[in-house]
Amino acid sequence: MHTADDLRRSLAEVRRGEYAVARRADTTGPRTTAAAPVRSRDGVVAALSVVAPTPKFDSAAYVPAVRATARAISRQLQSTGAAR
């Protein structure tokens, strides 16, 4: 991202898709992360993510699993009223 408009577009995509994927490299090599929001009755209270080496990152497997798990945690929080 290079501009504020790029950031706004990216955030809008994340809101629509209910997940984010990010890539970065550090001294241990390239890594990719998939994350999804965890919600209580009051809104987003956390995020669930998975990080893997980029060459082994399978978006088709990780993204649906992260989203489904975040939704399951959210349902539990909302049904119990936890995380207020």
Side-chain angles (χ1 to χ4, degrees), residues 34-75:
V38 174
R39 292 182 167 85
S40 73
R41 292 177 182 170
D42 300 320
V44 176
V45 294
L48 178 72
S49 68
V50 63
V51 180
T54 297
K56 296 181 181 211
F57 193 89
D58 180 1
S59 289
Y62 288 129
V63 170
V66 167
R67 290 180 71 204
T69 304
R71 282 193 305 268
I73 294 168
S74 296
R75 280 192 300 276

Side-chain angles (χ1 to χ4, degrees), residues 7 27-32 35 41 55 72 76:
L7 177 60
T27 58
T28 61
R31 301 279 183 251
T32 301
R41 292 177 182 170
Q76 185 66 27

